[in-house]
Amino acid sequence: MLRWFSLTVLAALIGAALATLIADFFWFFDLFSHFRAQYVVAAIAVAILLFWLRPRSAALVALLLAGWHSYIYFDVPKARHADSCADTIHLMTFNLQYRNREKAAAIDALSLARVDILVLEENWQDWAPHLDRLGDEYPHAAPEDWRDADGPTILSRFPIVDARIVRPFESASLDVDPARSAFAAAMWYLVARIEIREGGATVIAVHAPYPNGTFLTGLRNAYLEDVATLARAIDGPVIVAGDFNTTPWSPAFDPLFETAGLMSAGLPLMTWPSWFPPAGIPIDHVLVNDRISSFGAGRGPDLGSDHLPVLASLCIDGGIR
């Protein structure tokens, strides 16, 4: 019985691997590209069982799958490591979650984190009185109406000299369904030029649409492609941070890596869902271009959201040219 169960799991793992290879053909297949760490654990467990139960050839297949997924997990473009830095910049990105019932505790933790730049998602109106408590520590905020932003928000210790909202789906002809068109038109990201000591950087705060069905997955992919195109056009240090609603192994990430030349500030971090770590996948990221090096990135504590924060320590090579 255990032998047949192991073979069934192996067959499922092979099917999932094949699905990842055609992830860009249909949105449902893309979902299989996110669980690389889980595939590695499952494949190793199955390999051990089949080495004992036999056939050992099946155990070898499981080990090959584990190795392949491990390679893909670590084969993510990473920012060059900073050995030293005169002025290290600490940035945190965090999806507040509009239904978070621990708002006061979350704000206390954000205050204690003492980072230089906060990139926040799902900043709905009921978060404003809580975020106001951070005003002394973060005197600069974007967008201008950030208390009613209902979207990406940046709080900074450094001056924000320019900020604009980019709406990639403003066209009313996106879909024949007016409700869908209205939803798409409400999707935006924030581009802010921040003066950081002697130089500066452009921070792009994102919250991509969630990939549930053909329409929403297409929106997410187009949203990230638009971000990539803009990031590539910026001359100077660029940081893209937020909730991407995808892992770096999805084809949706390719424009960010290939078109924009962005790199991860650290290894992929399991940030969602915070309430069930075994199923955790990395969908919150801090990306940088080649004008920025990194000391690495790590996860923050559980702050009542379904996401965990990501903290990155960065070194900007120089000012905006």
Side-chain angles (χ1 to χ4, degrees), residues 79-234:
R80 67 184 183 279
H81 182 73
D83 295 320
S84 63
C85 187
D87 292 305
T88 303
I89 306 303
H90 301 285
L91 180 145
M92 174 191 285
T93 182
F94 178 45
N95 185 319
L96 297 164
Q97 192 189 25
Y98 67 95
R99 293 180 296 182
N100 192 330
R101 297 181 179 179
E102 301 177 25
K103 292 182 174 64
I107 295 301
D108 289 340
L110 292 176
S111 178
L112 289 173
R114 300 194 180 281
V115 298
D116 300 302
I117 300 171
L118 277 173
V119 176
L120 306 172
E121 301 83 54
E122 292 195 20
N123 174 24
W124 288 30
Q125 292 178 357
D126 55 350
W127 271 100
H130 300 279
L131 291 173
D132 271 332
R133 291 170 46 200
L134 298 175
D136 291 339
E137 298 175 58
Y138 301 95
H140 309 282
E144 186 175 355
D145 59 343
W146 65 269
R147 290 175 179 80
D148 300 312
D150 288 353
T153 301
I154 296 174
L155 303 181
S156 173
R157 297 183 187 274
F158 306 116
I160 299 175
V161 296
D162 181 50
R164 61 190 175 98
I165 289 173
V166 179
R167 300 181 184 274
F169 306 116
E170 286 185 312
S171 171
S173 60
L174 281 171
D175 197 273
V176 293
D177 181 351
R180 285 188 169 187
S181 292
F183 175 84
M187 296 292 103
W188 53 273
Y189 56 91
L190 179 64
V191 183
R193 166 82 158 80
I194 302 179
E195 286 188 346
I196 302 176
R197 299 187 177 97
E198 298 301 322
T202 298
V203 177
I204 304 176
V206 304
H207 188 189
Y210 50 88
N212 183 9
T214 302
F215 175 73
L216 290 174
T217 302
L219 280 187
R220 180 204 62 186
N221 296 352
Y223 178 104
L224 294 176
E225 187 172 354
D226 198 78
V227 170
T229 300
L230 186 142
R232 181 180 178 86
I234 295 173

